[in-house]
Structures are given as C-alpha cells and as structure tokens.
Amino acid sequence: MIRFDEVSKRYPGGKEALSRVSFELADQEMAFLTGHSGAGKSTLMKLIILMERPSQGQVFVQGANLNRVSRRQVPHLRRNVGVVFQNHQLLFDRTVYDNVALPLIIAGYQHREIGRRVRAALSKVGLSGKEKQYPITLSGGEQQRVGIARAVVNRPPLLLADEPTGNLDPDLSREIMDLFVQFNQVGVTVMIATHDLELVNRMKRTQLILNQGRLEVASA
Amino acid sequence: MSETKRRVRTRPQGKESPAGTGASQASGGSIASWAVNHMIVARQSLAGLLDTFVSSLMTWLVIGIALALPTILYLLLANVGELTSTFEGKPRISVYLADQVTVDEGEAFSRSLDRLEGVASTKFISPDDALTEFKAMSGFGDVLEALPGNPLPAVVEVVPSVEQPAELRLLVTGLSSHPEVSRVSVDLEWVERLFALLTLGERFVTALAFFLSLGVLLSIGNTIRLAIENRRSEIEVVKLVGGTDSFVRRPFLYLGFWYGFGGAVIAVVMVEASLVFLGGPVDRLVHSYHDRFVLSGLGPGTAITLMITGGLLGVLGAVVAVSRHLHAIEPR
Ligand SMILES: Nc1ncnc2c1ncn2[C@@H]1O[C@H](COP(=O)(O)OP(=O)(O)OP(=O)(O)O)[C@@H](O)[C@H]1O
Ligand SMILES: [Mg+2]
C-alpha cells in the first residue's frame, strides 16, 4: 500500500525533517507512527497525500510513484486516502451531515447515494441522529468522530490519522482507537501517528518509530 | 538498497473482503451530477449574498452606479442623435430677400427658385409671418412691439435636392447672384458641429465606460479576494479531501457573477428611474421644436445586454482574484 524508498525531506531554510526513510506497509495493515515531538511524523504523513514533496527518494502509494503525480492529479489521488488531521478539523458553519458529505460531493456522487453513505458512516462512528447538529454543539470526542466519519465516508483503502486522540481522555482515546481497529478489520489500511505509547504498546501492532527524522525501529 | 532500509511485512490476518478496493470510484461523476453541483453552488452563493443582504446591497449599489453612469450618458447621446436625425438630413438654405422686394415679388421669386435645378422645394416667408413666428418662439414679443417697424426681412426657405458640399456651394453661389437676394445662409454648419460633438461625446462615454468597467472588475475582484480569505480553512479542507481546482474555484466564480449581475439589475433600475426623472423637462424642451419626440429608454435588449455585461464583469473579476489568491491556499 505504502512504500518509502530512501526518502528525505528538508523544509526550505530548515533542517532535515526526514532522513533516508525506507519502509513498506502492506495492504490491510494497521501501523502506529511514534516518536518525539518534531521527529517527523506529520511530515511523513504529508508526503503520502502530497501536501509536501520529498527532497529526495520516492514514495509509492498503491503502486503509484508520487514523484510522477502532477499537480492536477493530486486531488484524485487524495480521494483514495482518508485523513484525520488536527489542523484541518470540521467546518463549524456547516452541519454534521454537510461536513461528512463533503468528500462525496467533491467526488460527484449522486444525491441519494450521498445520503445513504453519510448515514452509514455516522452510524459506524456512533453518531446516528446527529446529522442536523452543528459541530459546536458536540463534545470533543464526538467532533473527533465526525472527522473520522468524514475520512471514511468515501470508503478509501487507506486511512491516515495524525494524533487523533490528542486531547481526549483515556476512555475516549480507547473508543477512537477501537473505531480504527474496526475499519482495519474490514480491510482498510490504517496508519496512526501518536504520542500515546501506552496505547500503542497495548495494541500490539506494527510500529514505526521516528527519531530526529530517522526511522529507528519498525516492528510488529 | 542501503542498510537503513527496513521492511514491514504483513502478517496474514485472514480478513474479510477488503471494503476499500474498488469502492472508491464515484458512482456519480456524470454530466448530470456535475450540472446539479453547478446549480447547487449557484444557488448557495446567491443565498449567501442574500443572508448578508445589507453588505451585499452596498457592493451592488457601487457596481450599479458604475454601470448606470455610462449607460445614462450613452442613452442621452443616442437620444440627441435620434433627435437630430429626424430633422431633415439635408441642410436648409435660407435666402434673405432685399428690403425693397414686395411680398408679391417675393412669392413669385420663390416659385421661380422652385423650378431651379438642385432645388427640392421652396417656401416663402413674408416679413409679417417671420415676425409672428419669431414672437411665438423667442418670447421677445414686447421688445419687437416697441420697435417702429418690422426689422425682419422676407425669407425664402430652400430645401436643396443635392447633398454634396461642392454642388451645394454651386447652388448657394447661384442663389446669391440674384438681385432680389441680400444674403444666403446655409444652416449646415451647426449640424456638422453637433455631429462632431456627438462623436466626441461617444468617445468620451466609451472611455468612461471602459474605466468604470475596469473599476467594477477590480472591486469585484477585491470583494472575492476577501471572500477567499474568509473561507481559507474551508478551502484547505476541500483541497485536503480531494477537491479539484475547478471545484474550489466554482463558488467564487458564481459569487462574482451574482455581484456583477445584481449590480447590473440595480443599474437598470437607476437608469430607468433617471429617465423618468428627466422625462418631464425633456418633454417641455423638445416639444417646442418637435412634436413626436419621446425620450427612448433602455429597452429590453439593452437591459439584457447590460445584465450580461455585469455578470461577465463579475465572473472576470472573480477569475482574476481566484487565479491570484486560490493557488496559494493549500492544506498545511
Ligand atoms: N512547514 C515547515 N517549514 C519548516 N519546517 C517545518 C515545517 N513543518 C515541520 N517542520 C520541521 O520539521 C520537523 C518535523 O516536523 P513534524 O511536524 O513532522 O514533526 P512531528 O513528529 O509531527 O511533531 P509533533 O509530534 O510535535 O507533531 C520539525 O523540526 C519541524 O520544526
Ligand atoms: Mg505532528
């Protein structure tokens, strides 16, 4: 599903955020990306959805070499990847329904299909009946789950989550993690960046540990 | 491959059929759903403008004034042109007769001119007729009353059948050579001057229209730029979940269209209102010269042209703003 081949990323005017990172993540796998703050976790994820381009090396997603993807092709590539990113949260002037429907509208789905899929995604994250509410009226955990519903509504084969449990209490964190496990069980490849080592250790899944931009350990 | 390379192999986990594979293609994406999206976006952007009606109205008024001003000037010019073209296109020649020529002699002379080559028709105006007409038109009746006699000469009004300046000059020279004639005047010059002025006026209005349109374009562009800035986070999210450039651009282009179109509607109202406002005085002014002149308004054709122009200017302004500012917004 994802292959990094000697990938380095240096931001303009900055030090190297990633140094010669190589790994492969197979289809339907679930992996955790850990490491200290500034280790390069977000950078690695941004490379996968072409928010950033590598300075060196190659990234492959579903067999496609991202270096060969032109700017015009980027949106179509992104439709195959569900993302839960912290600085791209919900649109607060739109209802829960409209937030979740956004990827489907963009992809040009028909009205009735959109309704069906949005309700299915919301029921999967346990938010049935909250369609008409505005995000501001939801709790932090519920908002996070709306974001997850938006990420999976398009049924992407790959799901990326950057610190999805960032400021949630342990119980809520576990609920969110369970959701990801469920998606993985139906065949979605999942990659989650997190600081929560305790949780990661308990989950016993593939771990990618970054340290100063270098991939230190990759273990199952 | 270097030694830093590490591979993570999948553990076979016996999963069910992958929900992801193949399920990510849009079942829609047809022309129909594309058209539906256009309609939805068009309606949403109009609804957004109506939600903030007062501030939208301000923008519409500014655009409306900028579009109405050259339109009104253009209409006035067109009306003046219309008015002058309903005067006989050919110049009239006034042949003033010498004082000693009697009315009978004058009439006979007028008839003799009528048979001349290059003359379409003639009309004899006696000094008395001239005085009556002058009193009626000038309002100087009292002053003339105070004069001992009638200072006005008899006139033969000649409508020439020739148009070329050279032929006209020949005719005028011929007319001047008669002993009954004291002076010949051709009222050609003022027509020429008026047409020169009209041409100048048209150029002026065209230039004004150009600059005001540019103003409309830039002000819509600026309004769109602010709208883009206000919706930055939305644009980022849309791009993050796979929105194409044209998808992101679409609402702003419609927004520009509605600004321009709404401004043009306001302009049409303004133009019609000012024509009504001007109608009364113009009627009084024109009626003394001309019976059947009606100040012509926009008409449906021009009104529609104005609205299309407004809409196009809006879209163009939005295109300028979008091409300059939308590219820079990417999810970070
Ligand atoms: N846009 C940018 N421009 C310049 N430097 C950047 C940019 N984004 C990240 N960096 C730098 O790259 C390095 C890696 O950042 P990154 O955000 O990937 O870390 P992270 O592992 O996600 O950290 P955190 O756990 O705090 O989110 C850091 O040193 C950061 O300062
Ligand atoms: Mg990060």
Side-chain angles (χ1 to χ4, degrees):
Chain A
M1 177 60 70
I2 301 173
R3 187 155 69 86
F4 272 54
D5 195 359
E6 295 283 296
V7 174
S8 299
K9 173 66 187 179
R10 182 189 295 277
Y11 287 105
K15 62 174 171 55
E16 233 173 26
L18 289 177
S19 309
R20 295 158 65 94
V21 170
S22 295
F23 71 92
E24 191 171 336
L25 193 66
D27 282 5
Q28 304 175 34
E29 192 151 5
M30 179 161 180
F32 288 100
L33 187 57
T34 60
H36 60 90
S37 181
K41 303 182 292 295
S42 299
T43 302
L44 191 151
M45 291 198 152
K46 285 174 181 174
L47 290 172
I48 297 170
I49 51 165
L50 287 149
M51 277 165 75
E52 297 290 350
R53 299 267 187 177
S55 315
Q56 257 162 47
Q58 294 170 311
V59 180
F60 297 84
V61 175
Q62 291 188 292
N65 184 345
L66 297 193
N67 287 351
R68 303 231 175 86
V69 173
S70 72
R71 195 183 177 280
R72 286 176 61 88
Q73 295 170 311
V74 167
H76 302 281
L77 197 121
R78 284 183 183 161
R79 290 178 197 176
N80 287 329
V81 186
V83 289
V84 182
F85 277 10
Q86 268 184 337
N87 19 346
H88 299 290
Q89 283 303 340
L90 307 173
L91 302 175
F92 283 87
D93 58 344
R94 305 224 188 158
T95 59
V96 167
Y97 181 96
D98 287 342
N99 268 284
V100 177
L102 191 61
L104 302 176
I105 292 169
I106 286 169
Y109 281 86
Q110 244 121 50
H111 186 70
R112 201 181 311 158
E113 180 74 0
I114 292 176
R116 213 175 56 72
R117 290 201 179 208
V118 169
R119 276 184 290 277
L122 282 174
S123 106
K124 234 179 274 174
V125 299
L127 288 177
S128 293
K130 305 242 179 198
E131 284 115 86
K132 293 209 174 69
Q133 279 179 247
Y134 283 86
I136 202 78
T137 66
L138 302 178
S139 73
E142 286 173 328
Q143 287 181 15
Q144 193 69 306
R145 280 186 281 164
V146 175
I148 293 169
R150 185 183 72 192
V152 300
V153 73
N154 207 13
R155 297 190 197 147
L158 175 61
L159 186 57
L160 302 180
D162 195 356
E163 295 182 39
T165 60
N167 32 27
L168 300 178
D169 66 40
D171 283 349
L172 277 177
S173 299
R174 200 184 331 257
E175 272 178 38
I176 298 287
M177 277 307 161
D178 285 346
L179 270 177
F180 287 119
V181 170
Q182 283 169 33
F183 289 122
N184 180 240
Q185 276 165 355
V186 295
V188 181
T189 310
V190 180
M191 183 186 251
I192 300 167
T194 181
H195 283 293
D196 194 343
L197 291 180
E198 210 176 301
L199 195 83
V200 172
N201 291 334
R202 208 172 40 237
M203 302 284 288
K204 304 215 181 331
R205 300 283 185 146
T206 306
Q207 260 196 65
L208 300 167
I209 303 174
L210 282 170
N211 184 11
Q212 308 280 14
R214 293 180 180 279
L215 189 60
E216 288 219 318
V217 182
S219 65
Chain B
M1 298 286 170
S2 83
E3 65 284 358
T4 54
K5 172 144 189 164
R6 294 180 172 91
R7 278 176 184 270
V8 183
R9 295 276 167 214
T10 334
R11 297 158 296 165
Q13 289 180 335
K15 285 172 183 139
E16 302 115 41
S17 73
T21 43
S24 59
Q25 289 116 2
S27 63
S30 60
I31 302 282
S33 74
W34 176 83
V36 166
N37 177 263
H38 266 270
M39 274 166 55
I40 290 172
V41 171
R43 210 177 45 213
Q44 276 174 348
S45 50
L46 180 61
L49 283 178
L50 294 176
D51 277 348
T52 55
F53 185 74
V54 174
S55 69
S56 305
L57 187 65
M58 294 298 166
T59 312
W60 277 328
L61 280 173
V62 170
I63 296 164
I65 290 166
L67 291 176
L69 193 60
T71 310
I72 290 173
L73 290 177
Y74 168 78
L75 278 182
L76 289 181
L77 279 180
N79 273 301
V80 172
E82 176 79 9
L83 193 61
T84 51
S85 75
T86 59
F87 288 152
E88 285 92 289
K90 290 166 201 154
R92 264 182 298 182
I93 301 171
S94 299
V95 179
Y96 296 93
L97 303 185
D99 287 344
Q100 69 277 12
V101 178
T102 66
V103 172
D104 287 347
E105 284 169 345
E107 275 175 348
F109 179 63
S110 171
R111 278 194 298 278
S112 77
L113 289 186
D114 211 350
R115 289 189 292 273
L116 231 61
E117 203 178 326
V119 174
S121 68
T122 62
K123 186 185 169 201
F124 177 72
I125 299 166
S126 71
D128 287 348
D129 291 344
L131 188 64
T132 319
E133 201 175 304
F134 188 76
K135 273 181 183 167
M137 273 183 58
S138 67
F140 284 120
D142 295 345
V143 181
L144 291 170
E145 219 72 70
L147 291 174
N150 180 358
L152 299 176
V155 185
V156 179
E157 298 236 301
V158 176
V159 177
S161 59
V162 292
E163 282 177 25
Q164 296 302 315
E167 291 172 313
L168 270 178
R169 215 167 296 132
L170 210 66
L171 182 64
V172 169
T173 321
L175 291 172
S176 316
S177 64
H178 290 275
E180 293 93 336
V181 175
S182 71
R183 202 166 61 83
V184 177
S185 92
V186 187
D187 56 0
L188 183 62
E189 280 173 23
W190 76 269
V191 175
E192 278 178 348
R193 278 196 201 127
L194 185 66
F195 274 113
L197 273 177
L198 281 180
T199 314
L200 191 69
E202 263 163 34
R203 293 258 167 97
F204 173 73
V205 171
T206 307
L208 190 73
F210 175 78
F211 285 115
L212 286 175
S213 300
L214 200 66
V216 168
L217 199 120
L218 293 179
S219 84
I220 291 179
N222 195 46
T223 312
I224 299 295
R225 183 182 64 79
L226 292 175
I228 291 173
E229 208 46 56
N230 279 337
R231 293 170 68 178
R232 174 178 276 273
S233 61
E234 179 184 338
I235 293 166
E236 287 179 358
V237 168
V238 167
K239 285 194 174 181
L240 187 68
V241 298
T244 56
D245 284 349
S246 66
F247 184 92
V248 177
R249 202 184 298 134
R250 203 167 297 150
F252 297 106
L253 298 189
Y254 274 105
L255 199 61
F257 173 80
W258 289 124
Y259 273 127
F261 184 80
V265 169
I266 298 237
V268 168
V269 173
M270 282 177 175
V271 169
E272 290 296 344
S274 34
L275 286 181
V276 169
F277 182 66
L278 289 176
V282 167
D283 252 13
R284 258 168 275 140
L285 181 69
V286 170
H287 254 273
S288 48
Y289 299 94
H290 213 277
D291 305 326
R292 255 173 283 138
F293 180 75
V294 185
L295 195 60
S296 53
L298 266 181
T302 322
I304 290 172
T305 310
L306 187 59
M307 289 188 223
I308 293 174
T309 309
L312 281 181
L313 279 176
V315 172
L316 217 63
V319 166
V320 171
V322 160
S323 64
R324 289 192 52 206
H325 303 287
L326 218 50
H327 241 56
I329 301 180
E330 286 290 337
R332 293 266 160 252

